Amino acid sequence: MWLLWVALCVQGVRAVYELSDRGGLGREFDGIGAVSGGGATSRLLVNYPEPYRSQILDYLFKPNFGASLHIFKVEIGGDAQTTDGTEPSHMHYPDDQNYFRGYEWWLMKEAKKRNPNIKLVGLPWAFPGWIGNGKNWPYDFPDVTAYYVVSWIIGAKQYHDLDIDYVGIWNERAFDATYIKLLRYTLDKNGLERVRIIASDNMWQPIAFQMLRDAELLRVVDVIGAHYPGTLTVEDAVSTGKKLWSSEDYSTFNDEVGGGCWARILNQNYVNGNMTSTISWNLVASYYEQLPFGLEGLMTAKEPWSGSYEVSSPIWITAHTTQFTQPGWYYLRTVGHLEKGGSYVALTDMKGNITIIIETMSHDHSICIRPPLPKFNVSAQNATFKLDGSFNNLKSLQVWYSKLCTNTTKATQFTKKSAIPVTGGSFTLELGVDEVYSLTTLTTGQKGSYPNPPESQPFPRKYKDDFNVRNPPFTEAPYFADQSGVFEYFTNTSDPGDHVFTFRQVLTQRPITWVSDANQAISVIGDYSWSNVTITCDVYIETPDTGSVFIAARVDQGGSPSSLAKGIFFWVFADGTYKVTGDLQGKIVLRKGLSGVRARHWHTLTLHVEGFTAYGLLNGYPLWKDVLTLGPVHGWAAIGTGCLEFAQFDNFVVEAEVSRG
């Protein structure tokens, strides 16, 4: 890559930047994408009513409409907490295969429905416990791990007609060269030669170093994927000759600064680091906002109960590249930095079309959450671009423009401007600060729109679910967000009584974790601002002697730190006792005693919390009262179990008085 610019020492003379394919092209462009997963970041999207759900999907995936993504990456669910929740595995146990759990299958199909050419990527963050045979490690039995991952790829095709294009190793964790080679062998043995391997979805090193010293590893890895590279690569990675991707990036609030972060790295990941794909974490902020990294999707859709959603600036920043390029285009060699700050790239389809993307993001308006951003300056400038080679006879270029909001300016997002004339192969732009331009020969760009979605509304103050769904479209009940364990719709065929259809916690073995998962299973629901609440739920302990379940209010933690959750937890145990605790781990005991609860019998628990006191009912009769509510004054409602064990829940009801103070 090189930059040809001329800046004469005469005030007012413009810098000149040459754009040419004379002398060859740069690297092949692989596309812009986003991640659903890592984890449960699309959890609430599936519960949106139509037409709003389809509208959101159009903004994300529909070509020439919104973000128009080229790549869609999903978590291969591993039954463990992977940032904002757990995503279920297709194989909870060795003899268990189910390719309809979760929502990633559905989401991939919706993406393909809108863009049949979108590339699909699968990556594990965690693995079911049986993979490690009791150890928190997936590589002791690499043949088992390869079988598990390849089964997911085969299941995608067999049950959903989805062709997975790329597969990764283990998100942001160690890689194992023997496993990677065996994964390639297993893919090929199953007729999946077309599936490419990305490694290692962490840093550039040590994977690049090892590839240069292991010819077989170098052969089987198709893409080196790094996370949050800060637009920079390393010499070893370039020396491999492999494709270089920023396989997870952005992870920033989707406000105007987040849009600036995204605009800067989409260009500079290639200009500075030779990266031919950048993939956003995450696709859509469709999880409870108070979970870790809230509002960090390309757009926000966190209120299925109201239908409200927000199309944020990163959607339109993405469009500046995705609507005017495609995977298989090539970067020109003539890309680089602007004289007074900012950057430009140019790509061609080698059929005479060219797209030029220019960004002038200032430091303070383009900070990403990570990594740290060194200081730099950007100022207004005039820039002349000289088209040469295949492009020297162009007469005009279409222009799309964005200016991100600052303290003194109003945002302009993805606006079509008048075409710019090209005279003698040249054109000049007056570039301000915090602007994005797309200049292109393509005429197909569009700023898609729908009528305004409904106004934002809080979670309903009274909510109930009897789980009576004979053929549920998804395995999860609406709005429940599993934070450890996996809760699924269940058909009870063993002496069900009035409880034929229930909600069941189905894990009995600790998974190979990605973070420090709680030892308990817990699923949260509702409004984090809830303070005074009454929760009622029928519960069924399946494990004699040692089993236990709880309902809870004012739960203040979810996501990766969910094991540290505080709140008011009402437990009952199969040995006939109960306990009230101020934390999920059960260490802060506020009250305990006898309950008479037995395993394999249905019981009804009621928890009422108001002000600084709480009381509990068992089967409609008072069991305990006047417990002081130490700890959080607001939080989610929750259900769960004392360990990873089978247990069922039914007829969940919550009534809340919202206090937002």
Side-chain angles (χ1 to χ4, degrees):
M1 297 182 302
W2 51 275
L3 159 66
L4 174 63
W5 59 270
V6 179
L8 301 179
C9 298
V10 178
Q11 186 174 3
V13 175
R14 305 175 182 90
V16 179
Y17 308 90
E18 184 177 5
L19 300 174
S20 177
D21 59 357
R22 197 186 302 274
L25 296 169
R27 291 188 172 224
E28 183 181 8
F29 175 64
D30 293 309
I32 307 302
V35 181
S36 173
T41 51
S42 305
R43 173 65 196 91
L44 298 174
L45 176 61
V46 298
N47 301 131
Y48 263 79
E50 294 293 355
Y52 310 115
R53 189 173 72 175
S54 290
Q55 292 172 6
I56 295 164
L57 293 166
D58 285 352
Y59 280 117
L60 294 167
F61 297 117
K62 187 176 179 180
N64 297 313
F65 189 85
S68 306
L69 293 168
H70 302 135
I71 298 172
F72 182 38
K73 178 177 178 178
V74 304
E75 176 177 350
I76 300 175
D79 292 337
Q81 171 63 245
T82 54
T83 299
D84 292 293
T86 66
E87 298 204 24
S89 169
H90 59 289
M91 296 178 70
H92 293 320
Y93 310 104
D95 58 352
D96 161 72
Q97 294 193 44
N98 183 328
Y99 296 92
F100 295 91
R101 292 191 182 112
Y103 42 82
E104 302 294 6
W105 312 105
W106 166 81
L107 199 44
M108 285 189 283
K109 287 189 288 188
E110 291 295 323
K112 277 285 189 181
K113 184 189 302 182
R114 288 160 174 80
N115 178 8
N117 296 319
I118 198 167
K119 301 297 184 182
L120 299 178
V121 184
L123 173 66
W125 267 250
F127 300 87
W130 62 270
I131 296 282
N133 196 27
K135 293 176 63 177
N136 199 45
W137 188 248
Y139 300 137
D140 283 350
F141 307 94
D143 55 331
V144 173
T145 307
Y147 161 74
Y148 169 79
V149 170
V150 172
S151 293
W152 182 87
I153 296 171
I154 294 171
K157 181 64 174 178
Q158 182 175 349
Y159 294 97
H160 302 284
D161 197 26
L162 293 168
D163 291 307
I164 304 300
D165 298 284
Y166 298 88
V167 65
I169 307 305
W170 188 12
N171 183 77
E172 295 176 359
R173 295 295 180 263
F175 67 89
D176 181 87
T178 299
Y179 167 70
I180 296 174
K181 297 170 190 176
L182 187 58
L183 177 62
R184 178 73 272 161
Y185 170 80
T186 309
L187 287 166
D188 294 348
K189 185 179 178 181
N190 285 277
L192 296 169
E193 294 88 353
R194 62 177 296 279
V195 179
R196 301 303 176 199
I197 291 177
I198 303 174
S200 65
D201 282 298
N202 199 348
M203 310 296 289
W204 297 117
Q205 299 287 26
I207 185 69
F209 177 87
Q210 195 160 335
M211 287 171 65
L212 291 175
R213 286 152 183 83
D214 184 333
E216 187 180 358
L217 183 63
L218 181 67
R219 178 182 66 82
V220 301
V221 173
D222 300 282
V223 177
I224 302 180
H227 287 195
Y228 309 98
T231 76
L232 302 174
T233 189
V234 298
E235 185 177 344
D236 277 356
V238 177
S239 296
T240 65
K242 296 294 184 174
K243 291 178 176 291
L244 308 178
W245 287 13
S246 179
S247 53
E248 184 177 314
D249 217 326
Y250 173 65
S251 184
T252 299
F253 298 123
N254 56 28
D255 55 13
E256 294 296 299
V257 174
C261 155
W262 190 228
R264 178 174 54 79
I265 65 177
L266 283 181
N267 265 22
Q268 295 194 28
N269 275 348
Y270 185 74
V271 171
N272 300 338
N274 294 292
M275 287 166 260
T276 55
S277 175
T278 298
I279 299 177
S280 162
W281 189 88
N282 55 68
L283 173 74
V284 53
S286 199
Y287 46 101
Y288 291 117
E289 182 179 344
Q290 294 78 15
L291 291 168
F293 308 103
L295 304 180
E296 291 200 0
L298 295 177
M299 62 180 290
T300 299
K302 61 183 177 66
E303 289 188 15
W305 48 87
S306 72
S308 181
Y309 63 85
E310 181 180 355
V311 183
S312 308
S313 64
I315 289 288
W316 303 118
I317 294 300
T318 310
H320 272 283
T321 299
T322 55
Q323 290 204 21
F324 310 113
T325 62
Q326 289 297 324
W329 285 42
Y330 279 81
Y331 284 98
L332 302 189
R333 292 182 180 179
T334 47
V335 301
H337 293 278
L338 299 169
E339 182 187 35
K340 295 186 178 180
S343 66
Y344 65 97
V345 296
L347 302 95
T348 180
D349 63 355
M350 299 183 293
K351 299 176 182 178
N353 286 308
I354 186 172
T355 291
I356 307 154
I357 304 117
I358 303 165
E359 60 82 20
T360 59
M361 294 301 115
S362 62
H363 177 278
D364 291 352
H365 294 137
S366 67
I367 296 173
C368 305
I369 280 185
R370 59 185 177 269
L373 181 63
K375 280 290 184 183
F376 60 85
N377 294 314
V378 179
S379 57
Q381 56 196 301
N382 289 334
T384 295
F385 291 86
K386 174 68 175 175
L387 301 177
D388 197 8
S390 301
F391 318 111
N392 60 1
N393 292 321
L394 292 177
K395 301 303 181 184
S396 66
L397 291 168
Q398 304 297 310
V399 180
W400 290 80
Y401 170 77
S402 292
K403 184 171 182 69
L404 297 182
C405 176
T406 67
N407 294 333
T408 58
T409 61
K410 186 177 180 181
T412 300
Q413 295 185 354
F414 199 61
T415 299
K416 193 174 191 300
K417 311 276 278 187
S418 298
I420 189 170
V422 179
T423 305
S426 296
F427 65 92
T428 298
L429 291 174
E430 296 182 4
L431 302 175
V433 179
D434 295 323
E435 295 181 339
V436 183
Y437 281 87
S438 294
L439 301 107
T440 181
T441 53
L442 300 183
T443 59
T444 51
Q446 178 187 5
K447 186 174 184 178
S449 65
Y450 285 109
N452 290 335
E455 292 294 319
S456 173
Q457 297 288 337
F459 194 96
R461 288 172 55 183
K462 183 172 182 178
Y463 180 77
K464 60 183 178 180
D465 194 335
D466 59 13
F467 311 110
N468 288 345
V469 184
R470 184 174 297 274
N471 295 300
F474 300 100
T475 52
E476 304 98 328
Y479 314 150
F480 280 93
D482 301 349
Q483 301 304 307
S484 60
V486 174
F487 295 74
E488 298 179 350
Y489 281 113
F490 181 65
T491 301
N492 192 341
T493 59
S494 175
D495 191 22
D498 295 328
H499 303 278
V500 176
F501 301 109
T502 66
F503 201 41
R504 191 190 197 204
Q505 202 294 118
V506 298
L507 289 194
T508 61
Q509 184 178 15
R510 186 173 176 84
I512 296 174
T513 57
W514 190 70
V515 293
S516 298
D517 283 32
N519 291 322
Q520 303 76 17
I522 179 172
S523 188
V524 302
I525 187 171
D527 192 322
Y528 191 78
S529 70
W530 280 349
S531 180
N532 299 333
V533 298
T534 301
I535 302 166
T536 299
C537 189
D538 297 340
V539 299
Y540 185 87
I541 300 171
E542 297 191 39
T543 306
D545 302 325
T546 60
S548 60
V549 299
F550 67 80
I551 61 174
R554 298 185 182 177
V555 177
D556 72 340
Q557 291 279 4
S560 305
S562 59
S563 63
L564 304 177
K566 303 270 191 307
I568 303 296
F569 294 81
F570 177 16
W571 305 78
V572 291
F573 300 86
D575 65 3
T577 63
Y578 78 90
K579 188 163 58 175
V580 184
T581 69
D583 65 331
L584 176 61
Q585 295 184 22
K587 295 179 179 179
I588 305 172
V589 179
L590 306 176
R591 185 73 55 85
K592 61 182 179 179
L594 297 175
S595 67
V597 166
R598 293 181 294 161
R600 298 175 182 169
H601 288 77
W602 283 97
H603 300 277
T604 302
L605 303 185
T606 300
L607 171 63
H608 178 85
V609 183
E610 184 172 2
F612 296 102
T613 61
Y615 64 78
L617 307 179
L618 175 63
N619 300 325
Y621 295 97
L623 181 63
W624 52 271
K625 62 180 180 179
D626 298 331
V627 167
L628 291 178
T629 59
L630 304 176
V633 296
H634 58 78
W636 294 292
I639 58 174
T641 62
C643 64
L644 295 179
E645 60 182 291
F646 292 130
Q648 296 177 53
F649 302 84
D650 202 0
N651 299 320
F652 176 87
V653 180
V654 59
E655 296 185 68
E657 296 179 16
V658 178
S659 173
R660 299 187 181 274

